[in-house]
Amino acid sequence: MVKVLFVCLGNICRSPTAEGVFRKLIEEHGLAEKIVVDSAGTGGWHVGEPPDGRAVKAAKRRGVDLSQIRARQATRGDFRRFDLIVAMDADNHATLARLCPKGEEHRLHLFLDFAAGLEGRDVPDPFYGGGDGFEAVLDMIERAAEGLLAHIRDKHL
Ligand code: 4NP
């Protein structure tokens, strides 16, 4: 079993979207029994809440259901439970690097490093922007999800 945790700041926009998109992708590839997917936020303001309504609507238009997801905060223990901890941007990557127990750094990744042509870039925070921010986020996430699955097939399955 390979375990993947997507992490953003609030766990109500980007990382639940990544969780939903990636879960759909692995189901389409018949890998739902082999890969576990979850998401969390480095911040705790939205713990227990469902994803942002704009994220839910945008994902639904692409056949991705986020309605069952509830926000939680990332913990140090996540570095023992998950094989891959995938940060949505450099700020959250840095926060996670500080949380990470010594020797577990290899688990931490930047999501867009898996997206051909977008390596090193951030998935931008759509929280304070307009609705089209959520579409741009979905485009990036769909691209990186394909690359992440290829990486997992290559290194973890
Ligand atoms: P996310 O977006 O990190 O993609 O879930 C945000 C949601 C809420 C806040 C920040 C970012 N916030 O500050 O409340």
Side-chain angles (χ1 to χ4, degrees), residues 6 8 12-22 52 54-56 58-59 61-62 64 66 88-89 111-112 115 118 121-145:
F6 295 103
C8 61
I12 56 168
C13 298
R14 292 165 292 174
S15 63
T17 300
E19 176 185 341
V21 166
F22 197 63
D52 187 289
R54 297 165 296 173
V56 174
R61 285 197 291 271
R62 300 193 193 197
V64 175
L66 307 184
M88 294 296 128
D89 62 28
F111 193 28
L112 292 188
L118 296 177
R121 303 255 305 267
D122 293 340
V123 179
D125 186 347
F127 188 65
Y128 295 105
D132 53 351
F134 287 83
E135 295 300 326
V137 160
L138 269 163
D139 290 341
M140 289 176 168
I141 285 175
E142 285 180 346
R143 204 155 136 189

